[in-house]
Amino acid sequence: MKILITNDDGIQSPALPVLRDVLREFGTVEVVAPEREASASSHAITVHQPLRFFQSTLTDGTKGWAVTGTPADCVVLGMVKLGRPDVVVSGINPGANLGDDVTYSGTVGGAFEAALYGINAIALSVTDASTPEYGEAALVAARIFRSMGDLEHPFFLNVNVPPRSNGEIRITKMGRRLWSSNVHERIDPRNKPYYWISGIPREVGDEESDVVAVKRGYISITPIKLDLTDYSRMERLRALFSQPKDL
Amino acid sequence: MKILITNDDGIQSPALPVLRDVLREFGTVEVVAPEREASASSHAITVHQPLRFFQSTLTDGTKGWAVTGTPADCVVLGMVKLGRPDVVVSGINPGANLGDDVTYSGTVGGAFEAALYGINAIALSVTDASTPEYGEAALVAARIFRSMGDLEHPFFLNVNVPPRSNGEIRITKMGRRLWSSNVHERIDPRNKPYYWISGIPREVGDEESDVVAVKRGYISITPIKLDLTDYSRMERLRALFSQPKDL
C-alpha cells in the first residue's frame, strides 16, 4: 500500500515522524508537508504563483518533502512527483477539527483534495493542542488501516482523538462549532488600525455529534461526503423559480 | 434590508458596481472585498497575521471597503465594522463555480462564512470568464431578492449564469468537476525546478446537475448545506468499529 502523509502545521511538526513510524507497518509512507504552517488554509489551492517541491528534514532527522504551499497543494504535487497513493492521511493536527471547523481546516482540506481524486482520505486530529498525544492518535490511524479491507472505498474520514480517550470509537455526524466573530482592533505604531481574527467556539450538538463524542472521551470518526447539495430544499425552490423569466 | 457584497476577485472587479447598482433597490448595500485577487482561497480565514480594513474606490469611482485578506475575512470584518447583514452576496465571479469547484472557490467561501453565522448567502458566478455578462447575473440576483419572503431562511444558494442563458432557472444538485492534477514543471533561471498547478476540468453529471444545467443554457441554482456528514456510511462504520479497543 502507498501512503501519503500531509498536514497543515508544516514539515517541522513533531507529529509527522510519530505517524509515519506507526503507518510503516501497512506500506510505503511518504511525507509531503507545507514548508511553513498553513493552518486555516481550508481547501485552498495555489494557482496564482509557482510552487517549490524539495527534500527537507523531519524532526527525527529523517527525510520528507516540503512544498511552499497548502496541504491541498502538497497532495497535488505529491501525486505527481511520487505517484498516486492508496491513502492520504492529513495530520496529526494539534487541535480539534470538529463541526464547522471542517470547512476551515487545512488538515481536512488536504484530505478533501485526495477525496476529490477518489483516493481514500483520513483527516486526523487530537483535540488537546496543549499536550497533544500524537502516539495515541497514530494508533487510531493504525486501527483504521487494519480495517482497510472492510471499508467501502473510497472513504473520507474525519477523526478526532480526545486526551485520555476511553479507547472506544463513536461514529458521529458533524455538530456545530459556532465561532463568534471575535475581532481584536489594535493600533499600530503609526496610529493606524489593524485587526486580528480570533474566537472561542460555542459547541452545539446532540449525542450523535462529533463535538459531544470527544467531550465524553470517545474517539470520533465522521464519514464526510463531497456532495454539499441540500436536497431537502430543492422542491420548494423549484416551485418558487419554475416560471421562465419570472421577472 | 442590509446587504453585504464581497468577492474573491478583489475590490477592482468591474462586477462589483454592476451588482451593487441592481441590489440597491432592495436595501442598503455595502461592498467589502479583498484588496487583491484571492481566487482559489476556498474558505480560508486569516488567523496568523493581522488584517487591514480601509476605504477604497470601485471601478465606477464610488467607495467600498477593502480587506487585506480572503473573502471569508471580508465577511467577518464586514460584520464587525458595518453590522450584521441580512444577506451576503459573493461575486459576481467571472468563471463557473460548479460541482467540486464549490470546495475550492473563494467566491463560495465568502458565502460559506456568512452561512455559518446563519446569514442568508448567495454565491454568484457567470460561467463565461472571457466575456462575462455581469448585468444578466445581477438581474438573476434581483430575481432571488424578489422571492426573499418566500424563501426558507437562512438560505445558501450557489448560482451560476451561462452566457446567453435561456432565462430559465433550474434548481440543481452538485455535479462533479474533476480536475486532473495538471502540474507544469519548469526550470528557473538558476536551474531549479518550480511547479504551476493548473488543469482542465472534466465535467460529470446527470440532467439534475449544475454542470449539465448551464451547458443546456439554464441558470443553475444549487442549495448548499453546511453538514458534510455522509449518513449513508455510518451504519457500516459502526459495525466495523463497535468493539472497544479493537486493536
Side-chain angles (χ1 to χ4, degrees), chain A residues 43 51-52 81 103-104 113 117 143 174 176 179 188 195 208 223 225 228-230 238 246, chain B residues 43 51-52 81 103-104 113 116-117 143 174 176 179 188 195 208 223 225 228-230 238 246:
Chain A
H43 190 202
L51 296 166
R52 300 283 184 172
K81 299 293 291 178
T103 76
Y104 293 106
E113 183 67 17
Y117 290 106
R143 280 166 78 172
M174 272 176 67
R176 295 298 313 270
W179 293 82
D188 74 15
Y195 304 89
E208 278 214 305
K225 62 174 182 175
L228 281 66
T229 311
D230 188 348
R238 280 196 182 122
D246 46 4
Chain B
H43 189 204
L51 296 166
R52 301 283 185 173
K81 299 293 291 178
T103 78
Y104 292 107
E113 183 66 17
L116 285 180
Y117 290 105
R143 280 166 78 171
M174 273 175 65
R176 295 298 313 271
W179 293 83
D188 74 16
Y195 304 88
E208 279 214 304
K225 63 175 181 174
L228 281 66
T229 311
D230 189 348
R238 281 198 180 120
D246 46 1

Side-chain angles (χ1 to χ4, degrees), chain A residues 151-152 156-158 169-175 206-210 213 220-225, chain B residues 227-242:
Chain A
L151 284 162
E152 191 184 337
F156 180 3
L157 305 174
N158 182 37
I169 289 171
R170 259 198 199 172
I171 307 301
T172 55
K173 63 183 183 190
M174 272 176 67
D206 60 23
E207 279 296 326
E208 278 214 305
S209 68
D210 53 2
S220 167
I221 301 185
T222 310
I224 303 288
K225 62 174 182 175
Chain B
D227 182 358
L228 281 66
T229 311
D230 189 348
Y231 290 93
S232 71
R233 298 271 185 124
M234 294 180 87
E235 202 177 331
R236 184 157 170 181
L237 285 168
R238 281 198 180 120
L240 259 179
F241 294 112
S242 59

Side-chain angles (χ1 to χ4, degrees), chain A residues 176-246:
Chain A
R176 295 298 313 270
R177 215 158 176 244
L178 304 159
W179 293 82
S180 56
S181 53
N182 203 345
V183 174
H184 304 258
E185 180 167 345
R186 297 186 179 173
I187 302 296
D188 74 15
R190 297 166 104 187
N191 262 335
K192 297 204 167 163
Y194 63 100
Y195 304 89
W196 284 100
I197 296 177
S198 76
I200 295 161
R202 190 166 57 84
E203 297 181 345
V204 181
D206 60 23
E207 279 296 326
E208 278 214 305
S209 68
D210 53 2
V211 292
V212 169
V214 299
K215 252 185 222 159
R216 304 257 189 273
Y218 292 94
I219 298 155
S220 167
I221 301 185
T222 310
I224 303 288
K225 62 174 182 175
L226 305 177
D227 182 358
L228 281 66
T229 311
D230 188 348
Y231 290 94
S232 72
R233 299 270 184 125
M234 293 180 85
E235 202 177 331
R236 184 157 171 181
L237 285 168
R238 280 196 182 122
L240 259 179
F241 294 112
S242 59
Q243 300 305 318
K245 316 222 182 238
D246 46 4

